[in-house]
Amino acid sequence: MRIVLLGPPGAGKGTQAKKLAERLSLAHISTGDILRQNVKDGTALGKEAKDFMERGLLVPDELMSKMLLERFSQSDIGDGFILDGYPRNFAQAKTLEDIFRQKNIEIDMVVYLDSSDKVIIQRLSGRLVCNTCGANFHITNMPPKTKGICDKCGGTLFQRTDDKEETIKKRLEVYKGEVSGLIKYYQDKKKLYRLSADGQADVVLEEIVALTKKLYGSPKV
Ligand code: AMP
């Protein structure tokens, strides 16, 4: 199964993608995670992407296309994947279509996780991320058992540089400028399914799983 998750920053795409990938035994491809790893490792891509990311802007499409092509050449995507964070605009949706056409594969469903600005700002401004395993926590919604320490692996929790209120607002503005074209694109292809992501993460997860079952009856669910 090949699933694309769309939605504003803070809708919970990363959280849902991780849980879904585990549940359905699919690869999880997060363009944000790949970029952050490149920044951390100081690669050429990371050096080029860093400034855009810190300003809440999109990394140029050419860099993203190259990165994605490389990721889709890896063998773990053979059984299917959850794509989280790509496409972010119409041009990226066309690039994705071209890559998939060459590979003779198609997207099964695009899940659009909708969330209100109020919830997004509350979620992102309190988000904490583990610097070792990438697990997400929240200062009030989902605090770690020990302050500053990841429950899962004992790594150190940090706030993403782009989760500051000014940058969150910029990311939302960028998102809103691009999203309507994307929604129309996938609606026209009859692939788009819209869910509210304002509720608890586990409730949203069950709704996505129910949707996959209804549409595809996945035996792995
Ligand atoms: P995310 O973790 O998905 O919120 O992404 C964090 C940042 O990485 C974004 O604000 C962008 O700067 C960059 N980024 C992630 N995915 C893309 C993409 N598909 N196109 C351009 N920039 C991206």
PDB file of all heavy atoms in Angstrom, residues 31-49:
ATOM      1  N   THR A  31      10.270  13.561   4.486  1.00  0.00           N
ATOM      2  CA  THR A  31      11.267  14.444   3.859  1.00  0.00           C
ATOM      3  C   THR A  31      11.881  15.372   4.912  1.00  0.00           C
ATOM      4  O   THR A  31      13.065  15.664   4.859  1.00  0.00           O
ATOM      5  CB  THR A  31      10.649  15.252   2.699  1.00  0.00           C
ATOM      6  OG1 THR A  31       9.427  15.840   3.144  1.00  0.00           O
ATOM      7  CG2 THR A  31      10.399  14.376   1.506  1.00  0.00           C
ATOM      8  N   GLY A  32      11.074  15.796   5.899  1.00  0.00           N
ATOM      9  CA  GLY A  32      11.598  16.652   6.964  1.00  0.00           C
ATOM     10  C   GLY A  32      12.682  15.921   7.748  1.00  0.00           C
ATOM     11  O   GLY A  32      13.738  16.482   8.039  1.00  0.00           O
ATOM     12  N   ASP A  33      12.431  14.639   8.089  1.00  0.00           N
ATOM     13  CA  ASP A  33      13.433  13.856   8.846  1.00  0.00           C
ATOM     14  C   ASP A  33      14.713  13.681   8.033  1.00  0.00           C
ATOM     15  O   ASP A  33      15.822  13.786   8.571  1.00  0.00           O
ATOM     16  CB  ASP A  33      12.892  12.455   9.194  1.00  0.00           C
ATOM     17  CG  ASP A  33      11.888  12.487  10.344  1.00  0.00           C
ATOM     18  OD1 ASP A  33      11.711  13.567  10.947  1.00  0.00           O
ATOM     19  OD2 ASP A  33      11.272  11.433  10.624  1.00  0.00           O
ATOM     20  N   ILE A  34      14.561  13.399   6.743  1.00  0.00           N
ATOM     21  CA  ILE A  34      15.762  13.195   5.904  1.00  0.00           C
ATOM     22  C   ILE A  34      16.575  14.494   5.853  1.00  0.00           C
ATOM     23  O   ILE A  34      17.798  14.493   6.000  1.00  0.00           O
ATOM     24  CB  ILE A  34      15.391  12.733   4.467  1.00  0.00           C
ATOM     25  CG1 ILE A  34      14.597  11.428   4.500  1.00  0.00           C
ATOM     26  CG2 ILE A  34      16.658  12.559   3.617  1.00  0.00           C
ATOM     27  CD1 ILE A  34      14.061  10.973   3.138  1.00  0.00           C
ATOM     28  N   LEU A  35      15.859  15.616   5.699  1.00  0.00           N
ATOM     29  CA  LEU A  35      16.561  16.907   5.649  1.00  0.00           C
ATOM     30  C   LEU A  35      17.258  17.198   6.972  1.00  0.00           C
ATOM     31  O   LEU A  35      18.423  17.604   6.996  1.00  0.00           O
ATOM     32  CB  LEU A  35      15.572  18.032   5.321  1.00  0.00           C
ATOM     33  CG  LEU A  35      15.090  18.088   3.874  1.00  0.00           C
ATOM     34  CD1 LEU A  35      13.918  19.065   3.742  1.00  0.00           C
ATOM     35  CD2 LEU A  35      16.224  18.506   2.940  1.00  0.00           C
ATOM     36  N   ARG A  36      16.548  16.968   8.093  1.00  0.00           N
ATOM     37  CA  ARG A  36      17.155  17.246   9.406  1.00  0.00           C
ATOM     38  C   ARG A  36      18.398  16.383   9.628  1.00  0.00           C
ATOM     39  O   ARG A  36      19.397  16.831  10.167  1.00  0.00           O
ATOM     40  CB  ARG A  36      16.130  17.042  10.536  1.00  0.00           C
ATOM     41  CG  ARG A  36      15.209  18.264  10.730  1.00  0.00           C
ATOM     42  CD  ARG A  36      14.274  18.076  11.897  1.00  0.00           C
ATOM     43  NE  ARG A  36      13.244  17.100  11.624  1.00  0.00           N
ATOM     44  CZ  ARG A  36      12.132  17.348  10.938  1.00  0.00           C
ATOM     45  NH1 ARG A  36      11.883  18.538  10.476  1.00  0.00           N
ATOM     46  NH2 ARG A  36      11.249  16.396  10.718  1.00  0.00           N
ATOM     47  N   GLN A  37      18.342  15.129   9.178  1.00  0.00           N
ATOM     48  CA  GLN A  37      19.513  14.249   9.320  1.00  0.00           C
ATOM     49  C   GLN A  37      20.679  14.798   8.495  1.00  0.00           C
ATOM     50  O   GLN A  37      21.828  14.791   8.946  1.00  0.00           O
ATOM     51  CB  GLN A  37      19.136  12.829   8.845  1.00  0.00           C
ATOM     52  CG  GLN A  37      20.174  11.766   9.166  1.00  0.00           C
ATOM     53  CD  GLN A  37      20.423  11.624  10.673  1.00  0.00           C
ATOM     54  OE1 GLN A  37      19.489  11.526  11.444  1.00  0.00           O
ATOM     55  NE2 GLN A  37      21.691  11.651  11.097  1.00  0.00           N
ATOM     56  N   ASN A  38      20.371  15.296   7.298  1.00  0.00           N
ATOM     57  CA  ASN A  38      21.424  15.867   6.450  1.00  0.00           C
ATOM     58  C   ASN A  38      22.031  17.119   7.075  1.00  0.00           C
ATOM     59  O   ASN A  38      23.239  17.335   6.984  1.00  0.00           O
ATOM     60  CB  ASN A  38      20.870  16.190   5.049  1.00  0.00           C
ATOM     61  CG  ASN A  38      20.915  14.976   4.142  1.00  0.00           C
ATOM     62  OD1 ASN A  38      21.924  14.715   3.516  1.00  0.00           O
ATOM     63  ND2 ASN A  38      19.833  14.210   4.122  1.00  0.00           N
ATOM     64  N   VAL A  39      21.177  17.918   7.722  1.00  0.00           N
ATOM     65  CA  VAL A  39      21.688  19.125   8.402  1.00  0.00           C
ATOM     66  C   VAL A  39      22.610  18.685   9.535  1.00  0.00           C
ATOM     67  O   VAL A  39      23.726  19.191   9.684  1.00  0.00           O
ATOM     68  CB  VAL A  39      20.524  19.999   8.931  1.00  0.00           C
ATOM     69  CG1 VAL A  39      21.052  21.127   9.807  1.00  0.00           C
ATOM     70  CG2 VAL A  39      19.698  20.569   7.773  1.00  0.00           C
ATOM     71  N   LYS A  40      22.149  17.710  10.314  1.00  0.00           N
ATOM     72  CA  LYS A  40      22.926  17.209  11.447  1.00  0.00           C
ATOM     73  C   LYS A  40      24.281  16.656  10.989  1.00  0.00           C
ATOM     74  O   LYS A  40      25.311  16.884  11.607  1.00  0.00           O
ATOM     75  CB  LYS A  40      22.112  16.088  12.110  1.00  0.00           C
ATOM     76  CG  LYS A  40      22.445  15.819  13.554  1.00  0.00           C
ATOM     77  CD  LYS A  40      21.390  14.863  14.140  1.00  0.00           C
ATOM     78  CE  LYS A  40      21.860  14.169  15.373  1.00  0.00           C
ATOM     79  NZ  LYS A  40      20.935  13.126  15.803  1.00  0.00           N
ATOM     80  N   ASP A  41      24.256  15.922   9.851  1.00  0.00           N
ATOM     81  CA  ASP A  41      25.481  15.299   9.342  1.00  0.00           C
ATOM     82  C   ASP A  41      26.360  16.283   8.575  1.00  0.00           C
ATOM     83  O   ASP A  41      27.458  15.913   8.126  1.00  0.00           O
ATOM     84  CB  ASP A  41      25.134  14.117   8.414  1.00  0.00           C
ATOM     85  CG  ASP A  41      24.430  12.988   9.172  1.00  0.00           C
ATOM     86  OD1 ASP A  41      24.479  13.004  10.421  1.00  0.00           O
ATOM     87  OD2 ASP A  41      23.826  12.111   8.511  1.00  0.00           O
ATOM     88  N   GLY A  42      25.838  17.482   8.339  1.00  0.00           N
ATOM     89  CA  GLY A  42      26.627  18.495   7.614  1.00  0.00           C
ATOM     90  C   GLY A  42      26.880  18.144   6.164  1.00  0.00           C
ATOM     91  O   GLY A  42      27.921  18.512   5.602  1.00  0.00           O
ATOM     92  N   THR A  43      25.982  17.425   5.513  1.00  0.00           N
ATOM     93  CA  THR A  43      26.168  17.074   4.098  1.00  0.00           C
ATOM     94  C   THR A  43      25.945  18.320   3.226  1.00  0.00           C
ATOM     95  O   THR A  43      25.421  19.340   3.699  1.00  0.00           O
ATOM     96  CB  THR A  43      25.145  16.007   3.646  1.00  0.00           C
ATOM     97  OG1 THR A  43      23.840  16.603   3.728  1.00  0.00           O
ATOM     98  CG2 THR A  43      25.190  14.767   4.524  1.00  0.00           C
ATOM     99  N   ALA A  44      26.276  18.194   1.937  1.00  0.00           N
ATOM    100  CA  ALA A  44      26.077  19.321   1.010  1.00  0.00           C
ATOM    101  C   ALA A  44      24.592  19.693   0.973  1.00  0.00           C
ATOM    102  O   ALA A  44      24.227  20.880   1.013  1.00  0.00           O
ATOM    103  CB  ALA A  44      26.573  18.927  -0.379  1.00  0.00           C
ATOM    104  N   LEU A  45      23.731  18.673   0.916  1.00  0.00           N
ATOM    105  CA  LEU A  45      22.279  18.943   0.910  1.00  0.00           C
ATOM    106  C   LEU A  45      21.868  19.661   2.194  1.00  0.00           C
ATOM    107  O   LEU A  45      21.125  20.651   2.151  1.00  0.00           O
ATOM    108  CB  LEU A  45      21.506  17.608   0.767  1.00  0.00           C
ATOM    109  CG  LEU A  45      19.997  17.668   1.027  1.00  0.00           C
ATOM    110  CD1 LEU A  45      19.301  18.569   0.006  1.00  0.00           C
ATOM    111  CD2 LEU A  45      19.368  16.271   0.997  1.00  0.00           C
ATOM    112  N   GLY A  46      22.360  19.166   3.325  1.00  0.00           N
ATOM    113  CA  GLY A  46      22.023  19.776   4.612  1.00  0.00           C
ATOM    114  C   GLY A  46      22.443  21.234   4.653  1.00  0.00           C
ATOM    115  O   GLY A  46      21.704  22.092   5.140  1.00  0.00           O
ATOM    116  N   LYS A  47      23.636  21.527   4.113  1.00  0.00           N
ATOM    117  CA  LYS A  47      24.129  22.913   4.135  1.00  0.00           C
ATOM    118  C   LYS A  47      23.238  23.807   3.284  1.00  0.00           C
ATOM    119  O   LYS A  47      22.962  24.947   3.646  1.00  0.00           O
ATOM    120  CB  LYS A  47      25.576  22.959   3.628  1.00  0.00           C
ATOM    121  CG  LYS A  47      26.540  22.471   4.713  1.00  0.00           C
ATOM    122  CD  LYS A  47      27.981  22.554   4.279  1.00  0.00           C
ATOM    123  CE  LYS A  47      28.868  21.955   5.363  1.00  0.00           C
ATOM    124  NZ  LYS A  47      29.965  21.179   4.858  1.00  0.00           N
ATOM    125  N   GLU A  48      22.784  23.270   2.152  1.00  0.00           N
ATOM    126  CA  GLU A  48      21.922  24.088   1.281  1.00  0.00           C
ATOM    127  C   GLU A  48      20.527  24.271   1.879  1.00  0.00           C
ATOM    128  O   GLU A  48      19.891  25.298   1.724  1.00  0.00           O
ATOM    129  CB  GLU A  48      21.798  23.426  -0.098  1.00  0.00           C
ATOM    130  CG  GLU A  48      23.043  23.575  -0.924  1.00  0.00           C
ATOM    131  CD  GLU A  48      22.793  23.298  -2.388  1.00  0.00           C
ATOM    132  OE1 GLU A  48      22.221  24.143  -3.078  1.00  0.00           O
ATOM    133  OE2 GLU A  48      23.150  22.185  -2.828  1.00  0.00           O
ATOM    134  N   ALA A  49      20.045  23.224   2.583  1.00  0.00           N
ATOM    135  CA  ALA A  49      18.657  23.240   3.069  1.00  0.00           C
ATOM    136  C   ALA A  49      18.476  24.030   4.370  1.00  0.00           C
ATOM    137  O   ALA A  49      17.409  24.587   4.622  1.00  0.00           O
ATOM    138  CB  ALA A  49      18.183  21.795   3.280  1.00  0.00           C
TER     139      ALA A  49
END
